[in-house]
Amino acid sequence: METSDVIQLALIGISQGCGYALVAIGFVFIYRATEIINFAHGELMMLGAFMVLTFAQIWGLNFWLSACLGILSLGVFGYLLDAVVMRRIVGESQAIIFILTVAIALMLRSLAGIIWGWSPRSLDVPFMQDVQIGGIVLGMDRIAIILGTILLCALLYWFFSRTRTGLAIQASSQSQLAAYYSRIPVKRLISVVWAIAAMVAAVAGLMMAPVTQVDTGMSAFGIKAFAGAVVGGFGSIPGALLGCLLIGLAEPFLDFFFPAFKGVYAYIIMLVVLFIRPEGLIPQTFAKKV
Amino acid sequence: MSALLDVRNVETFYGPIMAIAGVSLAVNAGQIVTVLGANGAGKSTLLKTISGAIDCRKGQVLFEDKEIQNRDPDVVAARGIGHVPEGRDVFPFMTVEENLLIGAYGRGDRDAVKRDFETVYQYFPDLKTKKHDRAGFLSGGQQQMLAIGRAFMGRPRLMLLDEPSLGLAPLLTQTIFQIIRRINGEQGVAVLLVEQNAHAALEVAEHGFIMEVGRIVMDAPSPELMASDDVKEFYLGQSSEGIRGERRWKKRKTWR
Ligand SMILES: Nc1ncnc2c1ncn2[C@@H]1O[C@H](COP(=O)(O)OP(=O)(O)O)[C@@H](O)[C@H]1O
Ligand SMILES: [Mg+2]
């Protein structure tokens, strides 16, 4: 294996990890605000990609406009998903909530299949061309994922630590009752958290589309993102980022050297980490912000 | 003149269990009123019912002559009621300053909010020196100060204080109660103070209610309560928990 191959694989791995990370931080946001683990999060990512595809390739709108519309539409969808469905089951047992989110996942996948068909579609994005740096060819689509993730994380960090609404969401996640007593409209803000999480998932869907294609199978991404969040220490944002990057980075190398278990390394890593360090790499208690 | 807060015949349940059974009490503007009672008497439930954290099944809660029972707590808080919950419940991962800022959430008057920060720091100088520390790292007393400061930042006309002396050393309790009295006197905030520490509470309160297993069993001006034999025996006495519990059971009949 040559240096350039290592760099290629690393780039693929890191960008894949970034994609997982965007999905993972979405459900960590939701988990921290509501203690709901949303197993339909990969489906939200898939839906985001399909929406952008609809605006760009079916309606023929400009790509960037379609991207914005696609992300916004997922924001509305996430908000309504909470306001209309999830808010009603507050206080139900974890088992009921689990089954409900899984049911929503299955319904969304079927719905997507019915609307957009079951075969993969490709989404043409303006960042497809490869770049050559020092004799190594790098996929622009991969680089875009990494840059996009860094930008989005910075934006989210700013939002949660500097804006009034962001701080209020943090407060609601740390103590819902005390937040209520402080005049924070907790219910509405929880819906806003769902909206943000869905929009971040849509960005992941949009950015992963060029490398995975858009189809209903895309939602499986959510399970690997979940594995990444568990590896990092479920409930912690830095943990989710680290866990997802680790899994993303390890996957292509393990697939390359030991192809026997191709595709399931994310879960193997999760099991190994759970055996050695069940609380994850960065447990929630040490992750103070966001 | 009608009362600032008027609780009428309120009944609150946890599932099938009735936690408060037909409680009525009133707090006038600018007044400090205390509700005394042992663990499990239903004091916290009463405060939660007032602030909307729990719905009541029967009765009414009037604040400034408007019904507020069974509203969401953020709506009740916006009406002018600041709840300082049992066990402080500060936002542990946020700084002292951020906690206070959250307390002022929903207020538009930025300049006044800035002044209120200074007011809180004046009452609680400890908070000023720790303003960039995470609330979770503060001592119990400092967290209690922060919880009171946070509620104050909402500029309430009535503060509900749930056992502010819980787990604090006597000296610290005294300091905090003095500040409660100052906030009441200087800012005109009425206070409904729930306590097990009858001594400290009756000293600052004008009027006291005594609660037992979900009911108000006695109510009188503080000096009268302090002089009452029953109160002396069960709430101001030195006797241990076990003896107190037994005696209460025997004596309760005389109160009803
Ligand atoms: N969440 C709850 N679920 C069921 N019962 C509760 C709950 N909270 C309190 N109770 C019961 O209601 C009664 C009153 O409790 P509480 O209001 O906390 O009393 P206090 O604050 O005076 O100690 C107690 O018997 C307690 O066991
Ligand atoms: Mg209590």
Side-chain angles (χ1 to χ4, degrees):
Chain A
M1 199 181 209
E2 290 175 32
T3 324
S4 66
D5 293 334
V6 173
I7 292 175
Q8 296 265 13
L9 281 187
L11 181 69
I12 289 173
I14 293 172
S15 62
Q16 199 76 12
C18 285
Y20 298 149
L22 289 185
V23 177
I25 58 178
F27 58 52
V28 172
F29 286 154
I30 293 174
Y31 174 72
R32 294 186 65 152
T34 64
E35 294 188 2
I36 291 171
I37 299 174
N38 176 28
F39 286 98
H41 218 69
E43 279 68 19
L44 295 180
M45 168 191 171
M46 165 203 81
L47 217 52
F50 271 124
M51 290 307 290
V52 176
L53 185 125
T54 303
F55 291 124
Q57 266 148 248
I58 302 179
W59 292 17
L61 300 178
N62 163 288
F63 172 80
W64 295 107
L65 177 64
S66 307
C68 291
L69 288 175
I71 294 166
L72 277 180
S73 62
L74 258 283
V76 172
F77 186 80
Y79 190 98
L80 293 177
L81 187 59
D82 179 62
V84 178
V85 184
M86 303 312 289
R87 193 183 286 177
R88 286 173 209 280
I89 56 154
V90 168
E92 295 293 346
S93 73
Q94 281 293 332
I96 289 179
I97 293 171
F98 167 75
I99 291 168
L100 180 67
T101 64
V102 171
I104 290 172
L106 294 175
M107 285 191 286
L108 289 180
R109 218 176 302 167
S110 310
L111 197 69
I114 292 165
I115 297 175
W116 291 287
W118 298 94
S119 47
R121 293 172 171 234
S122 58
L123 176 65
D124 302 324
V125 298
F127 40 87
M128 286 282 259
Q129 70 283 31
D130 292 341
V131 288
Q132 202 163 353
I133 299 169
I136 303 166
V137 183
L138 301 174
M140 193 60 206
D141 44 6
R142 293 284 182 183
I143 293 173
I145 295 169
I146 297 171
L147 293 179
T149 303
I150 293 171
L151 274 178
L152 191 55
C153 285
L155 182 70
L156 288 169
Y157 183 83
W158 170 81
F159 174 77
F160 280 108
S161 60
R162 293 283 178 276
T163 67
R164 212 173 73 101
T165 308
L167 281 175
I169 290 174
Q170 273 200 63
S172 312
S173 304
Q174 288 170 29
S175 169
Q176 237 178 69
L177 203 49
Y180 264 126
Y181 293 154
S182 305
R183 289 161 73 167
I184 293 172
V186 176
K187 279 185 194 160
R188 184 148 29 99
L189 286 192
I190 285 175
S191 299
V192 170
V193 170
W194 277 83
I196 292 171
M199 288 196 287
V200 175
V203 173
L206 165 65
M207 294 198 307
M208 294 311 292
V211 298
T212 63
Q213 303 226 307
V214 183
D215 76 335
T216 54
M218 221 180 177
S219 56
F221 216 82
I223 314 283
K224 287 193 180 172
F226 179 75
V230 171
V231 165
F234 204 84
S236 142
I237 295 288
L241 294 176
L242 182 72
C244 287
L245 280 178
L246 195 80
I247 284 188
L249 193 56
E251 262 185 339
F253 288 97
L254 291 168
D255 286 351
F256 184 86
F257 288 112
F258 314 101
F261 294 105
K262 200 169 189 315
V264 295
Y265 281 109
Y267 314 116
I268 294 177
I269 294 171
M270 177 172 78
L271 285 179
V272 170
V273 170
L274 283 180
F275 270 120
I276 303 171
R277 217 180 133 83
E279 74 277 19
L281 300 175
I282 308 179
Q284 192 184 2
T285 39
F286 294 119
K288 302 284 156 57
K289 269 274 153 85
V290 184
Chain B
M1 194 196 85
S2 61
L4 177 70
L5 175 78
D6 194 355
V7 177
R8 294 181 182 167
N9 246 316
V10 162
E11 280 181 13
T12 304
F13 287 72
Y14 291 105
I17 301 156
M18 192 191 268
I20 53 178
V23 166
S24 299
L25 60 80
V27 181
N28 292 324
Q31 204 181 21
I32 302 185
V33 168
T34 185
V35 175
L36 304 173
N39 229 342
K43 307 179 299 297
S44 298
T45 307
L46 172 63
L47 293 193
K48 284 180 178 168
T49 307
I50 295 170
S51 58
I54 313 179
D55 286 352
C56 56
R57 202 174 283 183
K58 272 194 191 147
Q60 291 156 329
V61 181
L62 282 91
F63 183 68
E64 296 177 333
D65 298 321
K66 291 191 193 78
E67 290 193 21
I68 54 162
Q69 75 273 11
N70 303 355
R71 299 289 170 88
D72 280 341
D74 51 325
V75 177
V76 173
R79 292 283 182 87
I81 296 183
H83 189 147
V84 182
E86 186 173 14
R88 349 298 183 202
D89 213 359
V90 294
F91 303 116
F93 298 140
M94 299 175 91
T95 65
V96 166
E97 205 170 31
E98 286 169 337
N99 269 269
L100 294 175
L101 193 64
I102 289 291
Y105 189 92
R107 280 179 64 184
D109 44 349
R110 273 166 193 252
D111 294 338
V113 169
K114 225 174 246 168
R115 280 198 301 279
D116 288 343
F117 263 103
E118 287 317 309
T119 313
V120 169
Y121 289 146
Q122 233 173 48
Y123 286 132
F124 303 112
D126 276 24
L127 295 184
K128 187 163 192 172
T129 55
K130 302 251 170 181
K131 68 178 170 187
H132 297 303
D133 290 12
R134 293 192 193 293
F137 293 148
L138 299 181
S139 71
Q142 290 163 341
Q143 289 190 0
Q144 187 61 58
M145 296 173 188
L146 181 56
I148 294 173
R150 180 181 64 190
F152 177 79
M153 290 302 289
R155 272 291 175 184
R157 289 179 293 292
L158 172 67
M159 266 197 191
L160 310 177
L161 298 173
D162 198 341
E163 298 203 35
S165 77
L166 194 73
L168 301 188
L171 207 63
L172 199 51
T173 302
Q174 223 171 30
T175 313
I176 285 183
F177 275 48
Q178 264 160 19
I179 288 167
I180 292 170
R181 198 202 295 240
R182 274 183 64 197
I183 292 178
N184 166 258
E186 295 167 11
Q187 316 288 338
V189 182
V191 175
L192 178 55
L193 170 67
V194 151
E195 263 301 338
Q196 294 195 52
N197 185 342
H199 251 306
L202 287 175
E203 237 154 62
V204 298
E206 208 175 300
H207 197 93
F209 291 80
I210 294 185
M211 202 170 177
E212 292 217 339
V213 278
R215 293 172 193 280
I216 302 283
V217 292
M218 195 172 182
D219 97 78
S222 299
E224 214 171 293
L225 283 181
M226 274 191 272
S228 137
D229 287 343
D230 283 331
V231 176
K232 266 191 200 155
E233 202 175 336
F234 308 130
Y235 294 99
L236 301 172
Q238 317 277 308
S239 53
S240 74
E241 268 300 311
I243 297 167
R244 237 201 267 175
E246 265 176 79
R247 286 218 204 124
R248 181 172 69 225
W249 181 246
K250 280 186 208 148
K251 201 77 174 204
R252 239 196 68 203
K253 290 174 194 159
T254 63
W255 286 355
R256 307 227 56 245

